[in-house]
């Protein structure tokens, strides 16, 4: 059978791939997208969205326990884990079918099956219905990533889980070990701890949330400890022994090895790109530690072959994948898009308290040789935060003392994942302290703390 012909083929329908396909279709290209599992990829089905649905249940549960504080009565507070998970799966399903609708609306041809490069401009797709070939002048690899498995800590789905198992837990853990305190590990730790699991987090680096500003990590740790979590930093889980429905973790900390018993372990030690079985090496694509090597425009160096999103490396974030998707679609359609500025991609962790940041931490800015001005503003100085009963947290801003450029912003506290975008816009517009100070922030909002933090960097904070 002759190969079906397109202008562009996208492999993988996650937030990188499906957004790329839509933008290319808007620009008049005839696009096919190949997906082997679910439209929407990890993000909609096994990542961003279902975790946020679970965390929302935990947040409401937590608030119900605080009912009295708000003058309310709530008796017999409890939860039904199956129903919590059912809601989360339903939200994921709703969004995945939304992507199917968007593909149809934009006249993108969806081909379900496993894709593999089959020579220049050609992709073979295999499914239980058979095999077929597609051809196009441009191919975008957007195959995403999966959980990293470390030797001795491999998931079995029963006692040791990856994020996929943790999103559909078969039981409520009683004694839970979370290995890794990046965003994924901390979100699951926050969820299960709030629902009552005795939760321990082990982090190999010197502090939890290691990519965040040191003050944010320290503040978040204090809050997690208050919530009853146990945290071991500079500690390594060497081995997991599984027997009789229990896991014994061998944890190396401070030069000695301790053993600890758990009924459930979540391994959140990072992710690896889905680079295997695609014929990438044969096509001449360079791979570095499980990620496709690309330039600032997501070009692989092989004519007509691009890679976007998680498979193309850090930061492993949905919005980075989508933005790369749009940029590549515009490039392929003959446009002149700007490359992404990595320093303007915000990172958010939806634990309690939430954490959000963009740009350089104070330490990193100093390492880079900047003389900095730093502003801080605590939630306790904000009227809305107090009215909400969310007076814990702070907003920190880092400026270049010489030019006033906003180098970074770091927040911890209620709703900061919604606030951070204000600073992202600022950084995109290359804002300085002067414009931020001139900006009028609505009252009463949590966003006023963003203003006050800037004012504080210049000794002008009003409410603290
Ligand atoms: C638990 C968890 C929580 C997360 N929370 C957040 C968050 O809050 N915010 C955030 O920004 N990011 C979050 N992420 C990360 C986010 O999910 C990823 O960055 C994002 O999904 C990457 O998008 P992508 O399009 O590159 O790849 P994916 O979403 O991984 O999509 C890739 C798709 O390609 C398909 N595929 C792979 N190989 C083939 C093949 N050979 N043929 C056909 N199809 C193939 C896969 O089936 C998949 O559907 C989270 C991740 C996890 C695991």
């Amino acid at each position: 059978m002759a190969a079906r012909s397109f202008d562009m083929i996208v492999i993988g329908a996650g937030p990188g791939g499906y957004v790329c396909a839509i933008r290319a279709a808007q620009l008049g290209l005839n696009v096919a997208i190949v997906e082997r599992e679910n439209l929407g990829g990890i993000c909609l089905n096994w990542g961003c969205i279902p975790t946020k649905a679970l965390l929302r249940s935990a947040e409401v549960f937590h608030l119900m326990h605080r009912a009295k504080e708000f003058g309310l009565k709530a008796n017999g507070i409890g939860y039904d884990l199956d129903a919590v998970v059912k809601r989360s799966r339903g939200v994921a399903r709703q969004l995945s079918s939304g992507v199917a609708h968007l593909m149809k609306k934009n006249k993108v041809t969806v081909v379900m099956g496993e894709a593999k490069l089959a020579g220049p401009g050609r992709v073979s797709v295999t499914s239980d219905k058979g095999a077929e070939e597609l051809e196009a002048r441009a191919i975008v690899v957007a195959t995403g990533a999966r959980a990293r498995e470390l030797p001795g800590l491999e998931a079995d789905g029963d006692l040791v889980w990856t994020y996929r198992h943790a999103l559909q837990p078969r039981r409520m853990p009683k004694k839970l070990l979370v290995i890794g305190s990046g965003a994924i590990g901390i979100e699951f730790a926050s969820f299960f701890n709030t629902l009552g699991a005795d939760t321990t987090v082990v982090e190999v680096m010197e502090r939890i949330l290691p990519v965040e500003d040191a003050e944010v990590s320290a503040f978040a740790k204090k809050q997690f400890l208050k919530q009853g979590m146990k945290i071991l930093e500079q500690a390594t889980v060497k081995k997991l022994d599984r027997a009789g429905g229990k896991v014994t973790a061998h944890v190396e900390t401070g030069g000695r090895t301790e053993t600890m018993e758990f009924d459930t372990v979540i391994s959140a030690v990072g992710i690896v790109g889905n680079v295997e079985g695609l014929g990438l090496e044969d096509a001449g694509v360079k791979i570095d530690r499980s990620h496709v090597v690309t330039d600032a425009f997501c070009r692989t160096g092989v004519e007509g072959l691009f890679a976007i999103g998680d498979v193309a490396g850090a930061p492993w974030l949905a919005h980075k994948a989508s933005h790369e998707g749009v940029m590549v679609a515009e490039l392929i359609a003959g446009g002149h898009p700007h490359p992404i500025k990595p320093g303007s991609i915000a990172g958010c962790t939806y634990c309690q308290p939430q954490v959000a940041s963009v740009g350089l931490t104070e330490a990193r800015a100093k390492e880079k040789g900047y003389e900095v001005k730093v502003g801080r503003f605590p939630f306790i100085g904000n009227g809305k935060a107090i009215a909400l009963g969310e007076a814990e947290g702070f907003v920190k801003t880092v400026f270049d003392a010489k030019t006033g450029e906003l180098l970074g912003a770091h927040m911890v506290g209620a709703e900061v994942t919604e606030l951070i975008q204000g600073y992202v816009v600022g950084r995109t517009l290359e804002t300085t302290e002067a414009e931020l100070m001139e900006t009028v922030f609505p009252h009463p909002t949590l966003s006023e703390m963003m203003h006050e933090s800037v004012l504080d960097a210049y000794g002008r904070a009003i409410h603290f």
Side-chain angles (χ1 to χ4, degrees), residues 11-17 34-38 40-43 46-48 51-52 113-115 142-145 163 167 184 187-188 274 278 308-311 316-319 321 348 350:
I11 305 177
V34 189
E35 172 54 53
R36 67 180 177 193
E37 196 184 350
N38 303 116
I42 293 299
C43 174
W46 300 104
C48 327
T51 49
K52 275 40 232 199
E114 179 94 24
T143 50
Y163 58 80
L167 278 163
I184 295 175
E187 287 185 7
F188 282 116
N274 293 324
L278 282 162
I308 61 170
D310 279 7
V311 76
W316 297 284
L317 294 168
H319 39 294
C348 298
Y350 300 75

Side-chain angles (χ1 to χ4, degrees), residues 73-128:
K73 284 184 188 161
N75 299 317
I77 303 162
Y79 63 84
D80 170 351
L81 187 62
D82 289 345
V84 168
V85 172
K86 196 170 162 211
R87 174 175 180 275
S88 163
R89 299 318 305 157
V91 171
R93 243 190 333 274
Q94 181 181 342
L95 286 166
S96 180
S97 58
V99 174
H101 166 76
L102 289 173
M103 294 297 102
K104 212 169 168 183
K105 183 180 158 209
N106 286 283
K107 301 191 172 52
V108 173
T109 302
V110 176
V111 183
M112 292 307 292
E114 179 94 24
K116 187 176 185 324
L117 301 177
R122 294 178 84 84
V123 170
S124 68
V125 183
T126 317
S127 70
D128 47 13

Side-chain angles (χ1 to χ4, degrees), residues 197-211:
D198 176 358
T199 305
T200 301
V201 176
V202 172
E203 169 56 55
V204 70
M205 305 294 277
E206 66 177 8
R207 55 190 170 82
I208 58 158
L209 295 165
V211 300

Side-chain angles (χ1 to χ4, degrees), residues 34 92 104 133 192 196 227 250 282 331 341 343 400 426 439:
V34 189
K104 212 169 168 183
E133 279 213 359
F192 285 112
Q227 294 162 16
H250 300 251
D282 292 346
L331 201 62
K341 293 187 194 142
D400 179 348
T439 305

Side-chain angles (χ1 to χ4, degrees), residues 151-200:
L153 313 184
E154 293 91 350
D156 52 42
D158 177 20
L159 297 171
V160 183
W161 299 349
T162 65
Y163 58 80
R164 286 215 185 207
H165 309 115
L167 278 163
Q168 284 189 302
R170 13 166 111 188
R171 62 171 180 279
M172 177 64 196
K174 286 196 178 67
K175 205 154 183 271
L176 171 68
L177 168 65
V178 177
I179 311 175
S181 74
I184 295 175
I186 283 293
E187 287 185 7
F188 282 116
S190 189
F191 171 72
F192 285 112
N193 189 63
T194 304
L195 290 194
D198 176 358
T199 305
T200 301

